[in-house]
mmCIF file of all heavy atoms in Angstrom:
data_model
loop_
_atom_site.group_PDB
_atom_site.id
_atom_site.type_symbol
_atom_site.label_atom_id
_atom_site.label_comp_id
_atom_site.label_asym_id
_atom_site.label_seq_id
_atom_site.Cartn_x
_atom_site.Cartn_y
_atom_site.Cartn_z
ATOM 1 N N VAL A 417 90.087 51.353 93.019
ATOM 2 C CA VAL A 417 89.816 50.247 92.093
ATOM 3 C C VAL A 417 89.469 50.901 90.747
ATOM 4 O O VAL A 417 88.322 51.107 90.298
ATOM 5 C CB VAL A 417 88.552 49.385 92.615
ATOM 6 C CG1 VAL A 417 88.427 48.111 91.735
ATOM 7 C CG2 VAL A 417 88.833 48.966 93.982
ATOM 8 N N GLU A 418 90.572 51.248 90.013
ATOM 9 C CA GLU A 418 90.397 51.846 88.722
ATOM 10 C C GLU A 418 91.457 51.190 87.807
ATOM 11 O O GLU A 418 92.543 50.892 88.218
ATOM 12 C CB GLU A 418 90.764 53.348 88.822
ATOM 13 C CG GLU A 418 89.573 54.139 89.393
ATOM 14 C CD GLU A 418 90.088 55.481 89.764
ATOM 15 O OE1 GLU A 418 91.169 55.955 89.398
ATOM 16 O OE2 GLU A 418 89.342 56.185 90.512
ATOM 17 N N ALA A 419 91.036 51.031 86.545
ATOM 18 C CA ALA A 419 91.946 50.307 85.600
ATOM 19 C C ALA A 419 93.285 50.951 85.525
ATOM 20 O O ALA A 419 94.326 50.289 85.431
ATOM 21 C CB ALA A 419 91.254 50.224 84.230
ATOM 22 N N LEU A 420 93.302 52.276 85.508
ATOM 23 C CA LEU A 420 94.529 53.026 85.399
ATOM 24 C C LEU A 420 95.492 52.702 86.632
ATOM 25 O O LEU A 420 96.675 52.454 86.470
ATOM 26 C CB LEU A 420 94.331 54.512 85.303
ATOM 27 C CG LEU A 420 95.555 55.386 85.037
ATOM 28 C CD1 LEU A 420 96.188 54.985 83.706
ATOM 29 C CD2 LEU A 420 95.188 56.886 85.079
ATOM 30 N N GLU A 421 94.925 52.694 87.760
ATOM 31 C CA GLU A 421 95.751 52.451 89.009
ATOM 32 C C GLU A 421 96.238 50.981 88.946
ATOM 33 O O GLU A 421 97.391 50.702 89.382
ATOM 34 C CB GLU A 421 94.959 52.673 90.290
ATOM 35 C CG GLU A 421 94.745 54.165 90.626
ATOM 36 C CD GLU A 421 94.512 54.401 92.051
ATOM 37 O OE1 GLU A 421 94.916 53.572 92.948
ATOM 38 O OE2 GLU A 421 93.914 55.496 92.349
ATOM 39 N N ILE A 422 95.462 50.082 88.486
ATOM 40 C CA ILE A 422 95.895 48.663 88.425
ATOM 41 C C ILE A 422 96.969 48.530 87.434
ATOM 42 O O ILE A 422 98.061 47.918 87.644
ATOM 43 C CB ILE A 422 94.659 47.733 88.118
ATOM 44 C CG1 ILE A 422 93.594 47.882 89.152
ATOM 45 C CG2 ILE A 422 95.173 46.273 88.064
ATOM 46 C CD1 ILE A 422 92.255 47.243 88.817
ATOM 47 N N SER A 423 96.810 49.204 86.305
ATOM 48 C CA SER A 423 97.883 49.173 85.288
ATOM 49 C C SER A 423 99.172 49.819 85.754
ATOM 50 O O SER A 423 100.249 49.319 85.489
ATOM 51 C CB SER A 423 97.415 49.889 83.974
ATOM 52 O OG SER A 423 96.207 49.425 83.588
ATOM 53 N N ASN A 424 99.035 50.898 86.511
ATOM 54 C CA ASN A 424 100.243 51.560 87.096
ATOM 55 C C ASN A 424 100.954 50.597 88.086
ATOM 56 O O ASN A 424 102.186 50.523 88.129
ATOM 57 C CB ASN A 424 99.930 52.864 87.815
ATOM 58 C CG ASN A 424 99.547 53.958 86.791
ATOM 59 O OD1 ASN A 424 99.904 53.787 85.587
ATOM 60 N ND2 ASN A 424 98.872 54.982 87.246
ATOM 61 N N ALA A 425 100.135 49.897 88.858
ATOM 62 C CA ALA A 425 100.709 48.932 89.892
ATOM 63 C C ALA A 425 101.404 47.814 89.120
ATOM 64 O O ALA A 425 102.494 47.394 89.566
ATOM 65 C CB ALA A 425 99.580 48.353 90.666
ATOM 66 N N ILE A 426 100.862 47.401 87.935
ATOM 67 C CA ILE A 426 101.545 46.363 87.142
ATOM 68 C C ILE A 426 102.889 46.878 86.624
ATOM 69 O O ILE A 426 103.918 46.228 86.704
ATOM 70 C CB ILE A 426 100.587 45.932 86.016
ATOM 71 C CG1 ILE A 426 99.476 45.087 86.557
ATOM 72 C CG2 ILE A 426 101.336 45.152 84.933
ATOM 73 C CD1 ILE A 426 98.394 44.696 85.470
ATOM 74 N N GLU A 427 102.860 48.217 86.228
ATOM 75 C CA GLU A 427 104.123 48.832 85.761
ATOM 76 C C GLU A 427 105.156 48.820 86.923
ATOM 77 O O GLU A 427 106.352 48.520 86.654
ATOM 78 C CB GLU A 427 103.892 50.277 85.366
ATOM 79 C CG GLU A 427 103.210 50.452 83.989
ATOM 80 C CD GLU A 427 103.914 49.748 82.904
ATOM 81 O OE1 GLU A 427 105.156 49.825 82.814
ATOM 82 O OE2 GLU A 427 103.239 49.057 82.052
ATOM 83 N N ARG A 428 104.684 49.081 88.115
ATOM 84 C CA ARG A 428 105.665 49.024 89.258
ATOM 85 C C ARG A 428 106.207 47.628 89.458
ATOM 86 O O ARG A 428 107.336 47.383 89.857
ATOM 87 C CB ARG A 428 104.906 49.549 90.545
ATOM 88 C CG ARG A 428 104.674 51.026 90.539
ATOM 89 C CD ARG A 428 104.016 51.455 91.860
ATOM 90 N NE ARG A 428 104.964 51.374 92.970
ATOM 91 C CZ ARG A 428 104.618 51.223 94.276
ATOM 92 N NH1 ARG A 428 103.370 51.135 94.609
ATOM 93 N NH2 ARG A 428 105.531 51.135 95.220
ATOM 94 N N GLY A 429 105.293 46.669 89.220
ATOM 95 C CA GLY A 429 105.720 45.272 89.316
ATOM 96 C C GLY A 429 106.812 44.924 88.291
ATOM 97 O O GLY A 429 107.754 44.242 88.611
#
Side-chain angles (χ1 to χ4, degrees):
V417 189
E418 286 166 10
L420 183 63
E421 284 204 24
I422 302 167
S423 304
N424 288 342
I426 289 176
E427 284 304 318
R428 290 182 69 204

